[in-house]
Amino acid sequence: MKEYYHSEGRYLKLDIALPYKEMCAEAFALIDKFSSHRGDEDSHGWESLTIHGLGWDKHENYDAYGYKKGKDASNDMIWTEIADQCPITTKWLKDVFPCNKYGRVRFMLLRAGGKIALHSDSSIKLIENINVALNNPVGCKWVWGDGKEIIMEPGGVYAMNLHYHHSVINESNEDRMHMIIARHDATSGWKQLIEDAASKQGITGEYKVIDELP
């Protein structure tokens, strides 16, 4: 079981520093290892590489690899060989980010001209998914289902509420590189980050214990 921050808010920008330029360089040095993520007719140019998970080339949801429950997949997750090839990123994840048990941690690449189609990832309103902007080219934007936009700042760490429909469009001539982090715990440090951000940004919510998300 894990505590999740249940909120009507769409996102929180977290106050945590990271060496994003160095981390971005590590990701781009591995660009030949990326593979397509959720390819469909409406999404294109979206690719991924797994730092922590079921394998460096396994970046889809656990059910794509024969698991029926997230708990079972979580027990088999490891630091992949990619973690050894991006030491600055891995050190930040292990020593700075407030998590002791990770789920999937992935570099997420959206190629120049690429698009992530409008979709929702959760049936519950949770500020949960951590999106780390290692870069964010001018012309690349996150768009909510109602048309409102977020322009993420390079070096920004955002906790997103993926219940709300969203898409990402990279209308630049540069590749966008982000990192997505899934936690399988809720440390006191994590909760403090969320509470501080919520207080500063006028977002309300409460922690709820959920055995496993549907």
Side-chain angles (χ1 to χ4, degrees):
M1 292 187 291
K2 188 179 87 174
E3 291 179 281
Y4 294 86
Y5 192 68
H6 188 270
S7 174
E8 297 288 329
R10 296 193 186 195
Y11 72 95
L12 291 169
K13 186 178 181 185
L14 306 181
D15 186 12
I16 183 170
L18 76 160
Y20 68 94
K21 292 180 181 179
E22 294 86 347
M23 292 165 67
C24 190
E26 288 185 336
F28 274 108
L30 298 167
I31 199 165
D32 290 343
K33 292 183 176 292
F34 281 72
S35 56
S36 178
H37 182 65
R38 289 192 194 178
D40 58 42
E41 292 183 359
D42 295 322
S43 298
H44 59 273
W46 196 14
E47 302 177 23
S48 183
L49 184 64
T50 300
I51 303 166
H52 185 275
L54 295 170
W56 69 272
D57 57 349
K58 293 180 172 62
H59 44 76
E60 304 293 349
N61 198 44
Y62 61 83
D63 55 1
Y65 306 108
Y67 291 91
K68 294 183 178 179
K69 292 186 177 181
K71 289 180 181 179
D72 295 334
S74 178
N75 291 333
D76 289 341
M77 290 184 179
I78 59 170
W79 292 101
T80 73
E81 63 190 69
I82 298 303
D84 294 330
Q85 298 175 52
C86 54
I88 296 172
T89 301
T90 302
K91 180 175 175 59
W92 184 82
L93 289 164
K94 291 183 176 181
D95 297 346
V96 179
F97 192 79
C99 178
N100 295 324
K101 184 174 176 57
Y102 283 102
R104 287 183 296 171
V105 180
R106 299 163 291 161
F107 288 129
M108 303 298 295
L109 172 68
L110 186 60
R111 297 281 186 176
K115 177 185 177 182
I116 302 170
L118 188 69
H119 67 286
S120 168
D121 295 289
S122 175
S123 61
I124 308 173
K125 293 178 179 178
L126 304 173
I127 296 182
E128 170 64 20
N129 176 276
I130 303 100
N131 191 308
V132 180
L134 300 181
N135 74 358
N136 204 82
V138 175
C140 186
K141 55 191 178 183
W142 176 294
V143 185
W144 297 106
D146 61 3
K148 293 182 179 179
E149 300 178 2
I150 306 174
I151 306 299
M152 294 186 174
E153 300 175 7
V157 180
Y158 301 82
M160 309 301 295
N161 191 336
L162 300 187
H163 168 78
Y164 296 106
H165 281 78
H166 57 281
S167 64
V168 183
I169 304 169
N170 187 0
E171 296 177 333
S172 79
N173 59 4
E174 298 178 47
D175 295 337
R176 185 200 80 154
M177 186 68 73
H178 283 207
M179 181 170 66
I180 293 179
I181 302 170
R183 302 166 302 103
H184 286 176
D185 62 10
T187 66
S188 58
W190 165 254
K191 293 172 73 173
Q192 192 65 55
L193 266 182
I194 288 288
E195 290 161 10
D196 288 348
S199 176
K200 289 178 182 178
Q201 295 163 46
I203 300 295
T204 59
E206 61 179 342
Y207 280 99
K208 289 189 176 182
V209 176
I210 302 175
D211 182 37
E212 185 157 348
L213 292 176

